[in-house]
Amino acid sequence: VGRVVAYSGVMVLVRGLDRLDGTALEGMRDDEWQEHTKELQSRFMEVNRQRGAQGLKRLKFHDFCAPFADGTELTEALRKHMEQKSRGAAAKGGASPAPSSKQAWPELVGRPAKDAVALIRSERPDLAEILPVDDDSMFTMDFREDRVRILTAKDGTVSSAPRVG
């Protein structure tokens, strides 16, 4: 279904890269997925090249990929896949699937945590909790669809992409 990536010695699936149930990539054909993967990797390298040239912290691959899982960001292959799914649903008499609410904010890495809270709250007023958390703190690993934790560096900036969970 997807590809497993070695990350710090642990095998993980990457949302936005892998064809996981409940994501925009669900049901993507192999040829579409190969094109999606190729464009995703190319864009990741270019974004980090630009961030490095600007003196900004580089994005982690899983943070970069997350917005592709819900269709917030699209590769050409993912756009075509979503159009095909939409046409298929319409042909069956169903409504076109609505895009999911935003699930991740990789663009907030390096910005002040208080600004990140305000932006996320404005984009997702339905969330029950938006919590700045020191990035070296311990916290529960339970997944909650109504919560975003914002991992914060000692200088008060966002240290990794906030995401629902």
Side-chain angles (χ1 to χ4, degrees), residues 97-139:
S100 302
S101 295
K102 191 167 183 179
Q103 299 289 308
W105 293 263
E107 70 276 11
L108 296 177
V109 173
R111 299 209 20 216
K114 65 179 184 157
D115 294 352
V117 170
L119 179 79
I120 293 169
R121 187 160 318 280
S122 73
E123 291 183 358
R124 289 290 308 271
D126 59 305
L127 293 170
E129 290 184 309
I130 302 172
L131 306 166
V133 179
D134 290 339
D135 60 4
D136 60 354
S137 294
M138 292 181 60
F139 48 84

Side-chain angles (χ1 to χ4, degrees), residues 33-50:
W33 181 76
Q34 288 172 350
E35 288 300 314
H36 169 74
T37 300
K38 183 179 176 182
E39 183 179 341
L40 195 68
Q41 290 171 337
S42 174
R43 287 170 62 177
F44 172 72
M45 291 174 61
E46 178 60 20
V47 164
N48 273 337
R49 185 194 64 73
Q50 291 174 359

Side-chain angles (χ1 to χ4, degrees), residues 7 13-15 44 60-67 160 163:
Y7 179 69
L13 291 170
V14 178
R15 287 183 51 80
F44 172 72
K60 295 176 183 169
F61 189 63
H62 65 273
D63 291 334
F64 176 81
C65 291
S160 65
R163 65 173 32 110

Side-chain angles (χ1 to χ4, degrees), residues 6 12 18 23-24 27 29 33 36 38 47 63 69-71 75-76 85 92 94-95 103 150 152 157 159 164:
V12 297
D18 295 305
T23 68
R29 295 187 330 256
W33 181 76
H36 169 74
K38 183 179 176 182
V47 164
D63 291 334
D70 64 7
T75 60
E76 185 62 21
K85 282 175 53 174
K92 293 178 184 175
Q103 299 289 308
I150 301 172
T152 308
T157 61
S159 60
V164 170

